[in-house]
Amino acid sequence: MLKIILVAFLAFLVQYSFKVLLTLDVHKRTYNHRPGPCRKIEGVVNGSEDITISYEKNLAFITSGLVFLHSESSKTENNGEMFVYDLSQRTYKAERIPVKNLEDSEFLPHGISHWVLKDGTVRLFVVVHSKDFKHSIVILDYDEKNRVLNHVRTIRDDKFVRPNDVLATGENSFFVSNDGGCHSNIGNILEIATGFHKGSLVHYDGKNSHYLLENTATNGIILSNDKKTLYVSFIYEETIGVFDWNVGKQEIREVSKIETLTACDNFHVDEDDNLWSACHPVLKDAAKHLGNHKNKDLHSPTQVLRFKFSEDRKFAEIVEVFSDEGRFTSAGAVATSFDNGKQMLIGTVFRDVTHCDINISLDF
């Protein structure tokens, strides 16, 4: 009996070790290629973790100054900032936009989404952390004339456990993805190592919140252009979930899961309803970079993928648009296309923004 138990334990240990090695992508490497000329945008230096594009205004809004997991407040050196980038001109310069009447002094933004109000105002929804890693969703209206963001409302909820991304579904409603349930680095490592994730997907209807998914690690979230299909990144599973979104019942129904073999971060949907994502193809390098992002010698590879879904949304044609070993674009977190697919922006977790021309056809 003892031998049987020992063999079973060794078999489990081998299987578990192999699974961890695959999760960390120890068997992968990245090759560099670009779809056209790429250059850096001036102004953003402390991260560009998420970007949302208002095609109506031809503007990109960028979050900067992410705090990744809990650390001592005194050691948090980041300054949270918001930037706007005019897509109609090739200035290659992002402009910092101040946030007015904010009730909290600590503003460290993460995920971002937007909703256009009936009067044409762009309303931003932003995941915000404090230096001691407390969380909220902050709603801001963009004053285009004065080029400032006016604070509208700050929302806190017990279900916003560790928010990563936010997705507007109305003037005051939104989804929130929780990428885990632990606030500490050790707890996060244990969640990843054991596979027992305590994250979730939450919908807030303007007054109340409820769970749509539980006990999973959700990351990037976005809706199709008709607001009927929800895409969810399960970053540690290396899959993208495709769901029907019933806004009336506030329910989701799984349609399919797309295997990506890479850790996709945030999402963007272009004018043709294609899904875009910046991904972390080598998770062990991403972990090293995120754990010590001030070290300029630590890089994390970036991969940009575009997904064109079949009519039934059960399959997707995946094209790798951009790939970099991390020396030029490190730890890409979001990729957004514009100009009818002729240009794109790539935001990074802790560094700058890359602006690329797309001079090749992505359709086959």
Side-chain angles (χ1 to χ4, degrees), residues 42-43 69 105 134 160 169 174 188 192 224 226 258 265 282 316 324 343 347 352:
E42 296 179 26
L69 295 181
S105 58
K134 299 293 176 58
F160 304 164
T169 58
F174 50 85
N188 185 52
I192 297 171
S224 58
D226 63 6
I258 306 298
D265 205 320
V282 186
D324 188 82
Q343 299 181 66
D352 45 26

Side-chain angles (χ1 to χ4, degrees), residues 1 27 49 61-62 78 99 105 108 113-114 155 160 185 207 238 251 267 270 274 294 296 314-315 333 355:
M1 179 63 71
H27 60 299
E49 204 279 338
F61 296 92
I62 305 166
N78 295 19
V99 179
S105 58
L108 300 168
S113 180
H114 80 277
I155 302 166
F160 304 164
N185 288 306
K207 294 181 179 179
E238 298 191 342
E251 295 177 348
F267 290 149
D270 66 21
N274 298 312
K294 295 292 185 181
K296 299 298 183 183
K314 293 184 177 180
F315 306 95
H355 181 160

Side-chain angles (χ1 to χ4, degrees), residues 23-42:
T23 300
L24 294 175
D25 300 315
V26 296
H27 60 299
K28 290 184 182 178
R29 67 167 300 168
T30 307
Y31 300 93
N32 297 326
H33 72 82
R34 302 173 189 174
C38 296
R39 59 179 291 178
K40 298 299 183 181
I41 290 176
E42 296 179 26

Side-chain angles (χ1 to χ4, degrees), residues 12-27 189-195 236 238 282-284:
F12 169 78
L13 192 62
V14 170
Q15 182 267 348
Y16 174 76
S17 300
F18 183 68
K19 181 179 178 181
V20 170
L21 291 174
L22 288 180
T23 300
L24 294 175
D25 300 315
V26 296
H27 60 299
I189 291 170
L190 286 174
E191 281 194 47
I192 297 171
T194 62
Y236 300 117
E238 298 191 342
V282 186
L283 205 55
K284 66 178 179 64

Side-chain angles (χ1 to χ4, degrees), residues 99-107 124-130 134-140 150-157 160 172 174 204 206:
V99 179
K100 298 294 186 180
N101 304 314
L102 189 67
E103 60 188 31
D104 297 316
S105 58
E106 294 179 4
F107 178 82
L124 301 182
F125 295 71
V126 186
V127 173
V128 173
H129 309 295
S130 65
K134 299 293 176 58
H135 319 291
S136 61
I137 304 299
V138 174
I139 300 178
L140 308 167
N150 292 312
H151 177 251
V152 176
R153 186 182 176 194
T154 296
I155 302 166
R156 297 178 178 86
D157 192 284
F160 304 164
N172 296 288
F174 50 85
Y204 181 83

Side-chain angles (χ1 to χ4, degrees), residues 45-117:
V45 294
N46 292 317
S48 47
E49 204 279 338
D50 206 1
I51 301 171
T52 186
I53 286 183
S54 170
Y55 288 121
E56 299 86 352
K57 303 292 185 180
N58 222 11
L59 296 173
F61 296 92
I62 305 166
T63 63
S64 182
L66 171 66
V67 167
F68 184 69
L69 295 181
H70 185 270
S71 60
E72 293 180 29
S73 299
S74 60
K75 294 182 179 179
T76 302
E77 300 174 355
N78 295 19
N79 291 315
E81 296 176 302
M82 297 289 298
F83 291 87
V84 64
Y85 184 57
D86 189 342
L87 302 178
S88 65
Q89 303 180 42
R90 286 181 176 268
T91 61
Y92 298 103
K93 291 182 180 179
E95 177 186 349
R96 190 182 74 83
I97 41 177
V99 179
K100 298 294 186 180
N101 304 314
L102 189 67
E103 60 188 31
D104 297 316
S105 58
E106 294 179 4
F107 178 82
L108 300 168
H110 194 164
I112 187 173
S113 180
H114 80 277
W115 191 267
V116 180
L117 305 184

Side-chain angles (χ1 to χ4, degrees), residues 113 115 125 167-175 203-205 223 245 247:
S113 180
W115 191 267
F125 295 71
L167 173 61
T169 58
E171 293 187 4
N172 296 288
S173 59
F174 50 85
F175 292 103
H203 187 255
Y204 181 83
D205 64 10
L223 285 167
W245 164 236
V247 64

